[in-house]
């Protein structure tokens, strides 16, 4: 990983222009946002061109951005009733099949995230593509470019219902034969919708609606308060102390 | 003239050589495989979805149950992803302990692999030999975490507790007493580190024993040489990692190329195969065991010389000790908040990968700033390896499929997640 993250980001900007949006770099991995129209073209270039040569698709997964950034517990406001005790919201695991939240028209709800690895440059890259239509999310398939995408795309189709256009064999992979629904969507209940047992009278396995109740103990909270900033304060203080120490040694050195 | 048709048969999900719950639908032309279609998901437990409904730390236990042959390596990927988002770095002693236990885990995984692969291909003795050593590895797990398999030992910011000073000895029974008891307890008189050191010094001899059974064994070679050949180009295309890639001659190991924990401080070599067949993968795994023993010894040496903290002192993420809680109000509050609500991880996304015994185990973590992950995805090496089985098995005999499945080193806990 010789080139700096900034130089790498520049490289993508120069090559692809406004077809990709270069996101931030975190822990050495650049994120590219690509439209479905440019998806295949960009990926092919990422694999074949000398500067990129991402030989391997390490990982591909679906994402459902419904309820992103929503908390179940108001931690900022206090009212006359005291601090909000009641858990409100429809976070993961808090609803059953009948009471599942209605997926309003969330913009850019479904996304596909791919992690690429270049062995030649020892570099990783994350590319993301949002499906344009939330009702019927369709994204072009990458199987032609990296064959390892095959099962990952099947998995994303099974769990999120993202359809990969051009996939040779888009079957369910994880869920049971004859399963309905896409279990990793945020509006699918954590407890599921059917349960299976052996019926000794009918002498076969039967499917019935689930009998367990949703139960999640810990509310989902979003906090962005000062307690997570103490580190920065500490570090600033440490840096200042070191600076003073360095100045002192320098001054002493001059004296002697 | 009678029409000759291909025959479709089911391999698994109850077959002992299917390594768990693999259902393989094979289209056979006589004894030859024409098409292999694996049906997975019989062990799908939706770990990733379950993790979304729990605070970050409560999912560590699930990670042990993904690849249940290399428990601590899975935990390592997950805690590293959390640490990256929180921007914290564990103390060096914790890093050395993690490095050591990653290698112990690799050792344990390869032991089980050599045992089960031996059985699959008709070599019973190596199974008994390997389980003799694996028992001691389990004891190391037990001594450090209290559990023989599902340790839950790594935490964001370090490891749960320091290595114990005492190694539990065997007790006298009707069958083990006198001299034999003394012999079994010989290594267990000192601390855990002494035990691990004695083990790692002794174990190359044990590996020699496995090799005398297999490496030049005519039947073993007939069953593995030239079977399931994977060219380097194909291995890259199929998303192979770890031994599958190195067996095909690609020199790639995350421990060297993208070092984490203390792997840049220890000295070891990366074995690479040439032919990409089942036999080369066997040789690579055996050599990796030797290298693991080498790394373990270096870690033991460092850990003996350098006592210190094994957890960060950052009460916003790491709970205070029981003693601190007893006489400090603030510590009590921190403890309460961390165990009822957990900590919030800043918004962002990261991908942390470790070189697990089976290949690259990655954790893609998306946080929206809450105390629970928004989405977590585990990149399991076995999933990518199994997806290529059609290409590897096509044209081979049915019995060779067993050898191929076996050297893929599959565990369905991680394939199905």
């Amino acid at each position: 990983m010789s080139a700096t993250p900034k130089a790498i980001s520049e490289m993508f900007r120069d090559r692809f222009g406004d077809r990709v949006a270069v996101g931030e770099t975190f822990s050495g991995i650049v994120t590219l946002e690509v439209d479905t129209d440019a998806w295949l073209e960009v990926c092919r270039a990422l694999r074949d061109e000398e500067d990129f040569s991402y030989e391997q698709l390490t990982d591909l997964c679906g994402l459902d951005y419904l309820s992103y950034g929503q908390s179940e517990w108001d931690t900022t406001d206090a009212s006359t009733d005291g601090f909000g005790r009641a858990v409100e919201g429809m976070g993961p695991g808090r609803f059953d099949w009948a009471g599942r939240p209605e997926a309003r028209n969330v913009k850019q709800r479904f996304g596909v995230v791919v992690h690429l690895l270049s062995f030649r440059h020892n570099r990783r890259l994350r590319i993301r593509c949002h499906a344009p239509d939330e009702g019927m999310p369709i994204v072009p398939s990458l199987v032609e470019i990296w064959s390892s995408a095959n099962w990952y795309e099947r998995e994303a189709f099974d769990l999120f219902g993202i359809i990969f256009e051009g996939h040779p064999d888009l079957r369910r992979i994880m869920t049971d034969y004859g399963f309905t629904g896409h279990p990793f969507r945020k509006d699918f209940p954590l407890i599921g919708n059917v349960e299976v047992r052996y019926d000794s009278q009918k002498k076969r396995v039967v499917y019935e609606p689930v009998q367990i109740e949703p139960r999640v103990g810990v509310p989902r909270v979003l906090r962005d308060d000062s307690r997570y900033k103490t580190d920065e304060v500490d570090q600033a203080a440490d840096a200042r102390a070191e600076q003073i120490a360095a100045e002192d040694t320098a001054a002493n050195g001059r004296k002697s | 003239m009678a029409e000759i048709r291909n025959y479709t048969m089911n391999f698994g999900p109850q077959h002992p050589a299917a390594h768990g719950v693999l259902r393989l639908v094979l289209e056979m032309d006589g004894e030859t495989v024409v098409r292999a279609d694996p049906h997975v998901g019989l062990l799908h437990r939706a770990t990733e979805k379950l993790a979304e409904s729990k605070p970050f730390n409560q999912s560590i236990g699930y990670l042990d149950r993904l690849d249940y042959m290399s428990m601590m390596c899975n935990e390592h990927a997950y805690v590293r992803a959390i640490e990256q988002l929180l921007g914290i770095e564990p103390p060096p002693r914790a890093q050395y302990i993690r490095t050591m236990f990653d290698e112990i885990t690799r050792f344990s995984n390869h032991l089980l692999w050599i045992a089960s692969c031996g059985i699959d291909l008709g070599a019973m003795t190596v199974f008994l030999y390997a389980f003799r050593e694996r028992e001691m590895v389990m004891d190391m797990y037990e001594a450090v975490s209290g559990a023989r398999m599902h340790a839950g030992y790594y935490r964001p910011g370090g490891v749960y507790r320091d290595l114990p000073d005492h190694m539990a000895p065997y007790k006298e029974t009707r069958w083990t007493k006198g001299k034999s008891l003394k012999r079994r307890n010989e290594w267990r008189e000192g601390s855990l580190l002494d035990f691990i050191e004695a083990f790692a010094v002794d174990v190359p001899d044990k590996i020699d024993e496995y090799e005398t059974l297999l490496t030049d064994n005519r039947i073993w070679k007939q069953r593995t040489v030239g079977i399931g050949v994977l060219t380097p180009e194909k291995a890259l295309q199929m998303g192979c990692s770890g031994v599958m890639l190195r067996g095909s001659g690609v020199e790639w190991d995350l421990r060297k190329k993208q070092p984490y924990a203390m792997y840049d401080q220890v000295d070891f070599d990366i074995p690479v195969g040439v032919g990409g067949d089942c036999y080369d993968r066997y040789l690579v795994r055996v050599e990796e065991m030797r290298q693991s023993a080498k790394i373990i010894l270096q870690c033991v040496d460092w850990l003996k010389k350098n006592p210190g903290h094994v957890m960060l002192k950052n009460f916003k993420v790491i709970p205070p000790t029981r003693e601190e809680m007893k006489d400090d109000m603030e510590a009590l509050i921190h403890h309460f908040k961390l165990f009822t609500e957990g900590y919030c991880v800043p918004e962002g996304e990261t991908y942390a990968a470790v070189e697990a015994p089976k290949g690259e185990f990655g954790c893609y973590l998306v946080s929206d700033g809450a105390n629970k992950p928004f989405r977590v995805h585990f990149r399991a090496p076995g999933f990518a390896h199994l997806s290529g089985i059609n290409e590897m098995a096509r044209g081979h005999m049915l019995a060779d499929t067993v050898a191929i499945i076996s050297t893929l080193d599959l565990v369905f806990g991680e394939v199905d997640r």
Side-chain angles (χ1 to χ4, degrees), chain A residues 58 69 128 218 220 223, chain B residues 240 341 349 368 372 374 379:
Chain A
T58 337
R128 188 198 331 266
V218 184
R220 183 181 169 82
R223 286 187 197 276
Chain B
C240 289
E341 185 181 290
E349 54 184 344
D368 58 352
K372 303 174 181 182
F374 179 76
R379 189 263 178 210

Side-chain angles (χ1 to χ4, degrees), chain A residues 1 24 26-27 29 31 33 47 55-70 72-73 75 92-94 113 115 117-119 122-124 126 128 143 145-149 151-152 154-155 159-160 169 171 173-175 177 183-190 216 218-223 227-228 230-231, chain B residues 23 35 37-42 44 46-50 52-53 55 58 84-88 235-241 245 250 252 254 257-258 314 316-317 337 339-345 347-351 353 360 364 366-375 377-380 383-384 386-387 391 415-417:
Chain A
M1 295 190 189
E24 58 176 327
F26 188 79
S27 64
I29 305 180
T31 311
E33 308 265 354
R47 184 193 64 179
E55 298 103 334
Q56 193 177 63
L57 180 142
T58 337
D59 186 28
L60 182 150
C61 73
L63 260 111
D64 179 359
Y65 283 96
L66 186 72
S67 79
Y68 185 85
Q70 286 175 15
E72 299 169 335
W73 203 5
T75 52
R94 290 211 180 270
V113 173
H115 285 93
L117 175 61
S118 164
F119 288 80
N122 189 7
R123 201 179 283 157
R124 287 184 193 278
R126 178 183 305 125
R128 188 198 331 266
V143 177
I145 303 172
W146 294 282
S147 65
S148 55
W151 273 27
Y152 287 114
R154 277 178 69 186
E155 188 192 355
L159 303 178
F160 290 94
D169 182 25
R171 284 178 292 156
I173 185 165
M174 286 299 174
T175 50
Y177 304 110
F184 277 26
R185 288 189 173 188
K186 291 281 178 180
D187 54 358
F188 191 93
L190 185 69
V216 172
V218 184
R220 183 181 169 82
V221 256
L222 265 79
R223 286 187 197 276
R227 58 182 186 147
Y228 295 107
T230 47
D231 263 9
Chain B
R23 179 180 170 211
R35 200 173 70 94
D37 178 21
H39 288 209
V40 298
L42 286 101
H44 181 58
T47 307
E48 295 162 12
K49 176 114 178 164
L50 285 168
E52 287 171 12
S53 68
Q58 290 185 18
Q84 281 179 5
L85 280 178
L86 283 169
I88 56 174
L236 288 180
Q237 261 290 319
M238 277 166 46
C240 289
S241 51
L245 205 54
V250 182
W252 181 263
L254 292 180
K257 301 285 180 183
Q258 300 174 3
N314 178 347
K316 304 302 173 193
V317 182
K337 283 310 271 182
F339 279 89
T340 52
E341 185 181 290
Y343 46 84
C344 291
V345 170
E347 185 175 358
E349 54 184 344
T350 190
Y351 179 82
E360 176 181 328
Y364 172 52
V366 184
S367 171
D368 58 352
N371 58 340
K372 303 174 181 182
F374 179 76
R375 166 100 169 103
H377 175 74
F378 300 114
R379 189 263 178 210
F383 188 75
L386 184 61
S387 70
E391 292 196 25
V415 174
D416 295 347
R417 278 157 288 142

Side-chain angles (χ1 to χ4, degrees), chain A residues 147-234:
Chain A
S147 65
S148 55
N150 190 325
W151 273 27
Y152 287 114
E153 288 183 350
R154 277 178 69 186
E155 188 192 355
F157 161 69
D158 188 2
L159 303 178
F160 290 94
I162 299 168
I163 294 160
F164 292 90
E165 204 174 15
H167 192 287
D169 182 25
L170 201 62
R171 284 178 292 156
R172 283 184 181 272
I173 185 165
M174 286 299 174
T175 50
D176 199 359
Y177 304 110
F179 189 87
T180 46
H182 301 288
F184 277 26
R185 288 189 173 188
K186 291 281 178 180
D187 54 358
F188 191 93
L190 185 69
I191 55 168
N193 55 356
V194 285
E195 61 185 29
V196 183
R197 72 177 171 87
Y198 178 73
D199 191 321
S200 55
Q201 270 148 22
K202 288 179 186 154
K203 295 217 180 296
R204 63 178 173 86
V205 172
V206 289
Y207 288 79
E208 289 164 343
V210 279
Q211 297 190 351
I212 47 170
E213 294 281 314
R215 193 190 60 177
V216 172
V218 184
R220 183 181 169 82
V221 256
L222 265 79
R223 286 187 197 276
D224 187 25
D225 50 27
S226 56
R227 58 182 186 147
Y228 295 107
K229 298 199 176 84
T230 47
D231 263 9
E232 286 161 33
V233 177
D234 288 350

Side-chain angles (χ1 to χ4, degrees), chain B residues 80-203:
Chain B
R80 271 190 72 221
I82 299 173
E83 280 164 3
Q84 281 179 5
L85 280 178
L86 283 169
I88 56 174
E89 184 92 3
R93 188 172 167 86
Q95 298 275 38
Y96 266 103
I97 293 178
R98 283 183 185 179
T99 311
M100 183 172 78
F101 267 94
D102 272 13
E103 290 311 309
I104 290 174
T105 307
R106 188 179 319 279
F107 201 89
S108 139
N109 177 80
H110 286 357
L111 275 180
L112 192 99
W113 172 78
I114 205 171
S116 61
C117 187
I119 283 218
D120 285 345
L121 303 184
M124 180 76 194
T125 319
V126 68
F127 176 86
L128 300 171
Y129 278 27
F131 265 66
R132 178 186 60 192
E133 270 73 68
R134 194 158 182 272
E135 182 63 24
M136 296 188 210
V137 175
M138 302 259 105
D139 285 348
M140 293 171 198
Y141 259 59
E142 189 177 0
V144 82
S145 72
R148 288 168 68 80
M149 281 185 83
H150 303 304
Y153 180 55
Y154 294 3
R155 298 291 150 86
V159 293
Y160 170 57
R161 61 173 187 183
D162 207 345
L163 304 166
D165 301 332
H166 174 73
M167 187 71 198
Y170 281 103
K171 291 209 176 85
E172 190 177 302
T173 65
R174 277 166 66 195
W175 299 276
T176 327
K177 54 188 168 191
K179 240 186 216 163
S180 75
L181 180 69
K182 203 160 174 242
R183 200 187 62 236
R184 292 184 81 178
N185 282 335
E186 204 179 345
W187 293 351
R188 291 162 191 263
E189 268 145 30
S191 66
L192 171 65
L193 279 175
D194 295 332
F195 179 74
I196 295 175
E197 189 175 19
F199 175 82
V201 167
D202 175 69
V203 91

Side-chain angles (χ1 to χ4, degrees), chain B residues 246 250-253 255-256 268-272 287-288 291:
Chain B
R246 291 194 285 275
V250 182
E251 195 201 331
W252 181 263
D253 191 316
R255 292 176 295 169
K256 282 269 192 224
F268 63 102
D269 295 319
I270 305 295
V272 176
E287 184 54 34
E288 273 191 10
Q291 296 299 327

Side-chain angles (χ1 to χ4, degrees), chain B residues 210-246:
Chain B
Y210 314 146
E211 287 217 75
T212 40
L213 286 174
L214 297 176
T215 305
D216 291 322
N217 182 325
R218 185 159 50 93
I219 305 172
W220 181 258
K221 283 181 118 171
Q222 279 171 347
R223 292 296 305 273
T224 54
V225 176
I227 305 295
V229 178
L230 203 55
T231 59
E233 297 76 31
K234 216 178 207 177
L236 288 180
Q237 261 290 319
M238 277 166 46
C240 289
S241 51
V243 177
M244 296 296 292
L245 205 54
R246 291 194 285 275

